[in-house]
Short mmCIF file of all heavy atoms in Angstrom, two decimals:
data_model
loop_
_atom_site.label_atom_id
_atom_site.label_comp_id
_atom_site.label_asym_id
_atom_site.label_seq_id
_atom_site.Cartn_x
_atom_site.Cartn_y
_atom_site.Cartn_z
N ILE V 1 6.46 3.64 -6.27
CA ILE V 1 5.17 3.41 -5.61
C ILE V 1 5.29 2.12 -4.82
O ILE V 1 5.58 1.07 -5.39
CB ILE V 1 4.01 3.29 -6.62
CG1 ILE V 1 3.96 4.49 -7.57
CG2 ILE V 1 2.68 3.13 -5.88
CD1 ILE V 1 2.96 4.34 -8.71
N GLY V 2 5.09 2.21 -3.51
CA GLY V 2 5.21 1.03 -2.66
C GLY V 2 4.04 0.89 -1.71
O GLY V 2 3.24 1.81 -1.53
N GLN V 3 3.96 -0.27 -1.10
CA GLN V 3 2.92 -0.55 -0.11
C GLN V 3 3.31 0.05 1.24
O GLN V 3 4.41 -0.19 1.72
CB GLN V 3 2.75 -2.06 0.05
CG GLN V 3 1.86 -2.50 1.21
CD GLN V 3 0.39 -2.16 0.98
OE1 GLN V 3 -0.19 -2.50 -0.03
NE2 GLN V 3 -0.20 -1.47 1.95
N TYR V 4 2.41 0.82 1.84
CA TYR V 4 2.64 1.31 3.18
C TYR V 4 2.54 0.14 4.15
O TYR V 4 1.63 -0.67 4.08
CB TYR V 4 1.61 2.38 3.56
CG TYR V 4 1.66 2.76 5.02
CD1 TYR V 4 2.73 3.51 5.51
CD2 TYR V 4 0.68 2.34 5.90
CE1 TYR V 4 2.80 3.84 6.85
CE2 TYR V 4 0.73 2.68 7.25
CZ TYR V 4 1.79 3.43 7.72
OH TYR V 4 1.87 3.75 9.05
N LEU V 5 3.50 0.06 5.04
CA LEU V 5 3.49 -0.94 6.11
C LEU V 5 3.73 -0.20 7.41
O LEU V 5 4.76 0.45 7.57
CB LEU V 5 4.59 -1.99 5.88
CG LEU V 5 4.46 -2.80 4.58
CD1 LEU V 5 5.70 -3.63 4.36
CD2 LEU V 5 3.21 -3.67 4.62
N ALA V 6 2.78 -0.26 8.32
CA ALA V 6 2.91 0.46 9.60
C ALA V 6 4.11 -0.07 10.37
O ALA V 6 4.19 -1.28 10.62
CB ALA V 6 1.63 0.31 10.42
N PRO V 7 5.03 0.81 10.77
CA PRO V 7 6.22 0.35 11.50
C PRO V 7 5.91 -0.20 12.90
O PRO V 7 6.67 -0.99 13.44
CB PRO V 7 7.09 1.59 11.62
CG PRO V 7 6.49 2.62 10.74
CD PRO V 7 5.09 2.22 10.44
N SER V 8 4.81 0.24 13.48
CA SER V 8 4.42 -0.25 14.80
C SER V 8 2.92 -0.07 14.97
O SER V 8 2.26 0.60 14.17
CB SER V 8 5.16 0.51 15.90
OG SER V 8 4.60 1.80 16.09
N ALA V 9 2.40 -0.60 16.05
CA ALA V 9 0.96 -0.45 16.34
C ALA V 9 0.61 0.99 16.66
O ALA V 9 -0.57 1.37 16.63
CB ALA V 9 0.57 -1.37 17.50
N ASN V 10 1.60 1.81 16.96
CA ASN V 10 1.36 3.23 17.28
C ASN V 10 1.29 4.11 16.04
O ASN V 10 1.03 5.31 16.16
CB ASN V 10 2.46 3.75 18.22
CG ASN V 10 2.44 3.03 19.55
OD1 ASN V 10 1.38 2.66 20.04
ND2 ASN V 10 3.61 2.82 20.11
N HIS V 11 1.58 3.55 14.89
CA HIS V 11 1.57 4.31 13.64
C HIS V 11 0.22 4.17 12.94
O HIS V 11 -0.59 3.32 13.28
CB HIS V 11 2.69 3.84 12.72
CG HIS V 11 4.04 4.28 13.17
ND1 HIS V 11 4.73 3.64 14.17
CD2 HIS V 11 4.81 5.31 12.78
CE1 HIS V 11 5.89 4.24 14.37
NE2 HIS V 11 5.96 5.27 13.53
N TYR V 12 0.03 5.02 11.95
CA TYR V 12 -1.18 4.98 11.14
C TYR V 12 -1.37 3.56 10.62
O TYR V 12 -0.43 2.96 10.10
CB TYR V 12 -1.05 5.98 9.98
CG TYR V 12 -2.36 6.32 9.32
CD1 TYR V 12 -3.18 7.32 9.82
CD2 TYR V 12 -2.75 5.65 8.17
CE1 TYR V 12 -4.36 7.64 9.20
CE2 TYR V 12 -3.95 5.96 7.55
CZ TYR V 12 -4.75 6.96 8.07
OH TYR V 12 -5.92 7.27 7.45
N PRO V 13 -2.56 3.01 10.71
CA PRO V 13 -2.77 1.62 10.29
C PRO V 13 -2.84 1.46 8.77
O PRO V 13 -3.23 2.38 8.05
CB PRO V 13 -4.12 1.26 10.92
CG PRO V 13 -4.83 2.57 11.01
CD PRO V 13 -3.76 3.60 11.29
N VAL V 14 -2.46 0.29 8.31
CA VAL V 14 -2.64 -0.06 6.91
C VAL V 14 -4.14 -0.21 6.67
O VAL V 14 -4.82 -0.90 7.41
CB VAL V 14 -1.92 -1.40 6.58
CG1 VAL V 14 -2.23 -1.84 5.16
CG2 VAL V 14 -0.42 -1.27 6.80
N ARG V 15 -4.65 0.46 5.66
CA ARG V 15 -6.08 0.37 5.34
C ARG V 15 -6.37 -0.78 4.38
O ARG V 15 -7.44 -1.36 4.43
CB ARG V 15 -6.58 1.69 4.73
CG ARG V 15 -6.47 2.86 5.65
CD ARG V 15 -7.43 2.72 6.80
NE ARG V 15 -7.39 3.94 7.60
CZ ARG V 15 -7.70 4.01 8.87
NH1 ARG V 15 -8.08 2.94 9.51
NH2 ARG V 15 -7.64 5.14 9.51
N ARG V 16 -5.41 -1.05 3.50
CA ARG V 16 -5.58 -2.18 2.59
C ARG V 16 -4.24 -2.57 2.00
O ARG V 16 -3.33 -1.75 1.91
CB ARG V 16 -6.57 -1.88 1.46
CG ARG V 16 -6.03 -0.97 0.38
CD ARG V 16 -7.09 -0.69 -0.69
NE ARG V 16 -6.58 0.22 -1.69
CZ ARG V 16 -6.15 -0.14 -2.88
NH1 ARG V 16 -6.21 -1.41 -3.26
NH2 ARG V 16 -5.69 0.75 -3.73
N PHE V 17 -4.14 -3.84 1.63
CA PHE V 17 -2.96 -4.32 0.93
C PHE V 17 -3.26 -4.30 -0.56
O PHE V 17 -4.26 -4.86 -1.01
CB PHE V 17 -2.58 -5.72 1.42
CG PHE V 17 -2.00 -5.69 2.81
CD1 PHE V 17 -2.79 -6.01 3.90
CD2 PHE V 17 -0.69 -5.30 3.02
CE1 PHE V 17 -2.27 -5.96 5.18
CE2 PHE V 17 -0.16 -5.23 4.30
CZ PHE V 17 -0.96 -5.57 5.39
N VAL V 18 -2.42 -3.63 -1.30
CA VAL V 18 -2.60 -3.45 -2.73
C VAL V 18 -2.06 -4.68 -3.45
O VAL V 18 -0.94 -5.13 -3.17
CB VAL V 18 -1.89 -2.16 -3.20
CG1 VAL V 18 -2.02 -1.98 -4.70
CG2 VAL V 18 -2.45 -0.96 -2.44
N GLU V 19 -2.85 -5.21 -4.35
CA GLU V 19 -2.46 -6.41 -5.09
C GLU V 19 -1.36 -6.09 -6.11
O GLU V 19 -1.34 -4.99 -6.67
CB GLU V 19 -3.68 -6.98 -5.83
CG GLU V 19 -4.79 -7.47 -4.92
CD GLU V 19 -4.39 -8.69 -4.11
OE1 GLU V 19 -3.58 -9.52 -4.62
OE2 GLU V 19 -4.85 -8.82 -2.97
N PRO V 20 -0.48 -7.04 -6.39
CA PRO V 20 0.57 -6.82 -7.39
C PRO V 20 0.03 -6.36 -8.74
O PRO V 20 0.66 -5.52 -9.40
CB PRO V 20 1.25 -8.19 -7.50
CG PRO V 20 1.07 -8.79 -6.13
CD PRO V 20 -0.32 -8.32 -5.71
N ALA V 21 -1.12 -6.86 -9.15
CA ALA V 21 -1.70 -6.45 -10.44
C ALA V 21 -2.02 -4.96 -10.44
O ALA V 21 -1.86 -4.28 -11.47
CB ALA V 21 -2.95 -7.26 -10.74
N GLU V 22 -2.45 -4.43 -9.30
CA GLU V 22 -2.75 -2.99 -9.24
C GLU V 22 -1.46 -2.17 -9.32
O GLU V 22 -1.43 -1.11 -9.95
CB GLU V 22 -3.52 -2.65 -7.97
CG GLU V 22 -3.98 -1.21 -7.94
CD GLU V 22 -4.87 -0.87 -6.77
OE1 GLU V 22 -5.35 -1.77 -6.06
OE2 GLU V 22 -5.09 0.34 -6.56
N PHE V 23 -0.39 -2.67 -8.69
CA PHE V 23 0.90 -1.98 -8.83
C PHE V 23 1.32 -1.95 -10.29
O PHE V 23 1.82 -0.93 -10.79
CB PHE V 23 1.98 -2.66 -7.98
CG PHE V 23 1.93 -2.27 -6.53
CD1 PHE V 23 1.51 -3.19 -5.58
CD2 PHE V 23 2.30 -1.00 -6.11
CE1 PHE V 23 1.46 -2.84 -4.23
CE2 PHE V 23 2.26 -0.65 -4.78
CZ PHE V 23 1.84 -1.57 -3.83
N ALA V 24 1.13 -3.06 -10.99
CA ALA V 24 1.49 -3.12 -12.41
C ALA V 24 0.66 -2.12 -13.22
O ALA V 24 1.19 -1.44 -14.11
CB ALA V 24 1.30 -4.54 -12.95
N GLU V 25 -0.62 -1.99 -12.89
CA GLU V 25 -1.48 -1.03 -13.58
C GLU V 25 -1.02 0.41 -13.31
O GLU V 25 -1.01 1.25 -14.21
CB GLU V 25 -2.93 -1.20 -13.14
CG GLU V 25 -3.56 -2.49 -13.61
CD GLU V 25 -4.91 -2.75 -12.94
OE1 GLU V 25 -5.41 -1.89 -12.19
OE2 GLU V 25 -5.45 -3.85 -13.16
N LEU V 26 -0.66 0.68 -12.06
CA LEU V 26 -0.19 2.03 -11.71
C LEU V 26 1.13 2.34 -12.42
O LEU V 26 1.34 3.46 -12.91
CB LEU V 26 -0.04 2.18 -10.20
CG LEU V 26 -1.34 2.18 -9.42
CD1 LEU V 26 -1.07 2.09 -7.92
CD2 LEU V 26 -2.18 3.41 -9.75
N GLU V 27 2.01 1.35 -12.49
CA GLU V 27 3.28 1.55 -13.19
C GLU V 27 3.03 1.86 -14.66
O GLU V 27 3.62 2.78 -15.24
CB GLU V 27 4.17 0.32 -13.05
CG GLU V 27 5.51 0.50 -13.75
CD GLU V 27 6.48 -0.63 -13.48
OE1 GLU V 27 6.27 -1.42 -12.54
OE2 GLU V 27 7.48 -0.70 -14.22
N SER V 28 2.13 1.12 -15.27
CA SER V 28 1.78 1.34 -16.68
C SER V 28 1.19 2.73 -16.87
O SER V 28 1.56 3.45 -17.81
CB SER V 28 0.81 0.27 -17.15
OG SER V 28 0.42 0.50 -18.48
N ALA V 29 0.28 3.12 -16.01
CA ALA V 29 -0.33 4.45 -16.11
C ALA V 29 0.73 5.54 -15.97
O ALA V 29 0.71 6.53 -16.72
CB ALA V 29 -1.41 4.62 -15.03
N ALA V 30 1.67 5.36 -15.04
CA ALA V 30 2.72 6.35 -14.84
C ALA V 30 3.61 6.46 -16.07
O ALA V 30 3.97 7.56 -16.50
CB ALA V 30 3.54 6.00 -13.61
#
């Protein structure tokens, strides 16, 4: 599970940056 980063301005925009704590919670849930 990783953070989406738009490769260019022509790509789908990032809607939000996910905090490291949320990644940890998702890892735990998985």
Side-chain angles (χ1 to χ4, degrees):
I1 306 172
Q3 170 70 53
Y4 171 72
L5 299 171
S8 76
N10 296 326
H11 287 80
Y12 196 85
V14 174
R15 297 292 186 205
R16 75 181 178 102
F17 288 99
V18 178
E19 296 293 328
E22 186 174 348
F23 279 109
E25 291 169 6
L26 292 170
E27 181 173 345
S28 177

